[in-house]
Amino acid sequence: MQRYSGFGLAKHALSHHENWERQWRNPVPKKQYDVIIVGGGGHGLATAYYLAKNHGITNVAVVEKGWLGGGNTARNTTIVRSNYLWDESAALYEHAMKLWEGLSQDLNYNVMFSQRGVLNLGHTLQDMRDIQRRVNANRLNGIDGEVLDAQGVQDIVPIMDCSKNARYPVLGASWQPRAGVARHDAVAWGFARAADALGVDILQQTEVTGFKIRDGQVFGVHTNRGDIEAKTVGCVAAGNSSVLAKMAGFTLPLESHPLQALVSEPLKPVLDTVVMSNHVHGYISQTDKGDLVIGAGIDGYNGYGQRGSYATVEHTLQAIVEMFPIFSRVRMNRQWGGIVDTCPDACPILSKTPVKGLFFNCGWGTGGFKATPGSGHVFAASLAKGEMHPIAAPFSIDRFHTGALVDEHGAAGVAH
Amino acid sequence: MFHIYCPHCAEHREEEEFHPKGQAHIARPMDPEACSDEEWGDYLFFRDNPRGIHHELWVHAVGCRKFFNITRNTVSYEILETYKVGEQPTITAESLSQDKKMTADGVTVADGGLQTEGESDSAVNTSKEAKV
């Protein structure tokens, strides 16, 4: 792998940047691998990278039906934070946050991780009580957090309407300074490049059409480019996880929903942090390019169509304009949808399955991007050892039968 | 935006009047006390989530406030039929794969899809899956 550096940039400038080597190979599938990862998004590529880097398992294939990071990795609103209420989820997301903080150096790839802070607004007395509770829980778990009053919010975001006359007045917020945003495509590309350099085969336009299962043990997958064998298969397929599970003969407690987001025309810098509101139901940040990135809740119906209803977009923008009257004349450039696989308790599934050797990492719902390195890290450890990593263990699929749910729904400032 | 035919109001209304309530035809266990953890968990949490034909429960929340079922394609989002709770779908994944041709009596909805009005006389009920 050609290392990226300032010196390299100057050197390639001499040849008009025409001789950069490709970031990853485009190999022909081998007949057999040690591990197959199904799904070439951020989580799948991170899993492959940490398998090779931390566990020395380099005979790995990442099987992707489309192109790298073409699903939810490219469709999210890039927010990274770890201020979750419960110990289990706080441990998982904070694990990811610590990896984010060194990720660009680790991958030798600028993922543009910008710790510009995240505000979760409170508009009612109950919101503020929930925020107090969550921030206290965060601090006990070693996660940074502060409770701000309306004036504190106004100081950070001068353009927000924090007056008492608003329809939903801002009473305060939780503030996580270490949170922020990252460049989503760069995360997929950075992990892909680093994994490829360690010997991982990235197989794009290769669709898994079934699993090879004998005596309850998986030993490979059928694909549109022939059969590939491996004793360990990790599925990281987000919205299509239920489809894969059905191929393997079991069901998951997931429902796939469209989640929409939109970006505006580029503006001069006006918002240097991330603002989320659970109550009016919208979140917004501004990219380095100047676009406002806006998102909100899922469309309520099941859908695999990567698009949603106009009414949801309208409600989202109503919420944004409620918080930021200054944005009422901003024109929107693009709008899209991704398929999110939501769990009943709004927490992911990192788990063994009824099929031996087959592992699933899914159910991240509306908040998977922020967990990308942490998810890959603990899932790789689980695949390598055949036992779930301690951080991943509480997210077993068994919890839906034992009742030990990690009920984050609405409790952690998650804008569902 | 869906244009949904409410079988109770016998009218097409906009999507915003409705709320989706998840998979239809989920039978509550007859004797919940006798359920194993496995059975109860399956009843509460595990869903079909198909890529394709899906039977789902909706409520006409700001209309008649009654519940009814929709058969919908989760990829194209086309609404294939709406029918009252207690009725069986006339269109299922099996019936479609047996006969790709769709039943002719119905109404064309706003997005160009075909929507039958409740149970149709000519459509043959081939559902084997439906329980309720």
Side-chain angles (χ1 to χ4, degrees):
Chain A
M1 179 177 80
Q2 205 171 35
R3 273 193 73 79
Y4 293 154
S5 64
F7 174 72
L9 198 63
K11 196 182 88 181
H12 279 282
L14 298 175
S15 56
H16 305 282
H17 295 294
E18 283 171 358
N19 297 317
W20 288 99
E21 73 175 24
R22 288 195 173 270
Q23 298 195 3
W24 51 82
R25 297 163 294 129
N26 194 15
V28 177
K30 287 193 271 183
K31 281 271 160 279
Q32 199 165 16
Y33 291 92
D34 292 339
V35 178
I36 295 173
I37 309 289
V38 182
H43 289 240
L45 293 164
T47 306
Y49 170 67
Y50 288 116
L51 266 177
K53 187 195 165 212
N54 293 355
H55 305 282
I57 302 172
T58 56
N59 190 23
V60 176
V62 177
V63 183
E64 164 59 47
K65 73 172 176 178
W67 62 92
L68 293 189
N72 291 349
T73 304
R75 291 163 190 270
N76 61 78
T77 47
T78 78
I79 299 166
V80 177
R81 61 186 176 88
S82 63
N83 54 354
Y84 279 64
L85 176 67
W86 298 111
D87 292 351
E88 296 86 353
S89 37
L92 180 58
Y93 290 101
E94 180 60 14
H95 183 61
M97 178 64 84
K98 285 181 178 141
L99 290 166
W100 274 114
E101 287 175 328
L103 196 61
S104 290
Q105 287 74 22
D106 188 24
L107 298 178
N108 180 231
Y109 205 100
N110 187 4
V111 298
M112 294 169 72
F113 181 48
S114 159
Q115 292 176 294
R116 57 184 65 184
V118 168
L119 285 165
N120 289 101
L121 301 182
H123 299 269
T124 64
L125 287 176
Q126 188 57 46
D127 276 358
M128 291 314 296
R129 289 184 203 113
D130 291 342
I131 283 170
Q132 289 273 7
R133 180 190 180 201
R134 179 162 49 77
V135 169
N136 286 336
N138 289 161
R139 294 172 77 130
L140 288 171
N141 277 319
I143 298 167
D144 60 325
E146 277 174 56
V147 181
L148 303 177
D149 60 8
Q151 187 55 48
V153 175
Q154 187 81 81
D155 290 346
I156 292 173
V157 192
I159 58 165
M160 190 155 58
D161 180 8
C162 293
S163 70
K164 288 197 167 64
N165 300 328
R167 172 69 182 83
Y168 299 100
V170 175
L171 300 185
S174 75
W175 168 240
Q176 190 186 14
R178 279 163 70 237
V181 294
R183 169 99 170 89
H184 49 182
D185 296 322
V187 175
W189 298 334
F191 274 121
R193 172 170 166 273
D196 178 85
L198 293 169
V200 172
D201 279 1
I202 295 164
L203 311 171
Q204 300 183 71
Q205 293 176 347
T206 309
E207 183 170 0
V208 169
T209 52
F211 293 97
K212 300 170 84 163
I213 297 168
R214 195 191 300 130
D215 303 331
Q217 156 80 42
V218 71
F219 65 101
V221 295
H222 302 289
T223 77
N224 59 348
R225 292 170 76 186
D227 293 0
I228 308 174
E229 292 194 352
K231 285 257 163 32
T232 305
V233 178
C235 292
V236 201
N240 284 303
S241 296
S242 293
V243 179
L244 285 174
K246 199 176 176 198
M247 288 178 194
F250 55 93
T251 52
L252 294 169
L254 296 177
E255 289 191 298
S256 295
H257 291 276
L259 174 64
Q260 301 184 81
L262 53 166
V263 293
S264 75
E265 58 190 341
L267 306 172
K268 285 190 174 175
V270 65
L271 181 64
D272 64 354
T273 184
V274 182
V275 179
M276 312 180 72
S277 170
N278 209 0
H279 194 87
V280 302
H281 224 148
Y283 42 90
I284 184 165
S285 64
Q286 189 175 23
T287 67
D288 294 347
K289 198 171 77 182
D291 319 353
L292 298 174
V293 184
I294 293 166
I298 55 172
D299 283 73
Y301 47 83
N302 288 29
Y304 285 86
Q306 295 190 322
R307 63 186 194 283
S309 292
Y310 181 72
T312 309
V313 175
E314 203 173 16
H315 289 310
T316 305
L317 290 175
Q318 282 167 357
I320 297 303
V321 173
E322 159 67 23
M323 292 188 281
F324 298 96
I326 190 177
F327 292 152
S328 64
R329 302 291 179 88
V330 172
R331 283 163 296 195
M332 292 300 136
N333 241 354
R334 287 181 296 122
Q335 167 269 334
W336 65 90
I339 316 164
V340 295
D341 42 338
T342 56
C343 259
D345 61 352
C347 273
I349 294 170
L350 292 122
S351 183
K352 296 182 183 179
T353 66
V355 181
K356 223 169 148 244
L358 182 63
F359 296 75
F360 265 71
N361 178 355
C362 58
W364 290 91
T366 59
F369 177 72
K370 66 174 83 68
T372 304
S375 154
H377 190 271
V378 297
F379 196 52
S382 309
L383 292 178
K385 297 202 175 67
E387 286 300 323
M388 298 315 290
H389 185 281
I391 290 178
F395 300 99
S396 160
I397 198 169
D398 295 340
R399 72 181 190 268
F400 298 98
H401 288 134
T402 63
L405 304 183
V406 188
D407 189 11
E408 276 292 344
H409 219 89
V414 189
H416 283 281
Chain B
M1 178 77 84
F2 297 146
H3 198 207
I4 299 170
Y5 179 82
C6 172
H8 300 291
C9 300
E11 271 178 38
H12 281 88
R13 299 287 183 86
E14 283 187 4
E15 181 190 334
E16 277 185 282
E17 293 192 14
F18 301 88
H19 280 306
K21 291 289 178 185
Q23 188 180 329
H25 304 293
I26 296 174
R28 188 179 168 85
M30 292 303 283
D31 184 6
E33 299 290 327
C35 278
S36 66
D37 287 353
E38 190 88 6
E39 288 165 342
W40 188 245
D42 284 350
Y43 162 68
L44 280 184
F45 300 123
F46 285 74
R47 297 294 179 257
D48 287 346
N49 199 22
R51 195 185 167 96
I53 301 300
H54 190 227
H55 306 290
E56 52 199 14
L57 188 65
W58 285 65
V59 59
H60 195 175
V62 294
C64 62
R65 301 175 67 186
K66 288 179 186 157
F67 286 81
F68 63 98
N69 295 326
I70 292 182
T71 302
R72 199 173 54 90
N73 186 317
T74 59
V75 180
S76 70
Y77 293 179
E78 183 182 13
I79 293 173
L80 300 169
E81 63 174 337
T82 61
Y83 54 100
K84 289 177 186 169
V85 170
E87 293 176 359
Q88 297 299 322
T90 58
I91 299 167
T92 62
E94 289 83 30
S95 73
L96 278 186
S97 61
Q98 279 165 15
D99 179 15
K100 286 258 159 108
K101 214 169 51 182
M102 259 182 271
T103 165
D105 46 320
V107 288
T108 309
V109 296
D111 59 2
L114 187 83
Q115 190 169 318
T116 60
E117 301 183 356
E119 257 190 319
S120 150
D121 295 335
S122 64
V124 188
N125 186 352
T126 52
S127 165
K128 293 185 181 67
E129 246 186 8
K131 292 168 224 130
V132 180

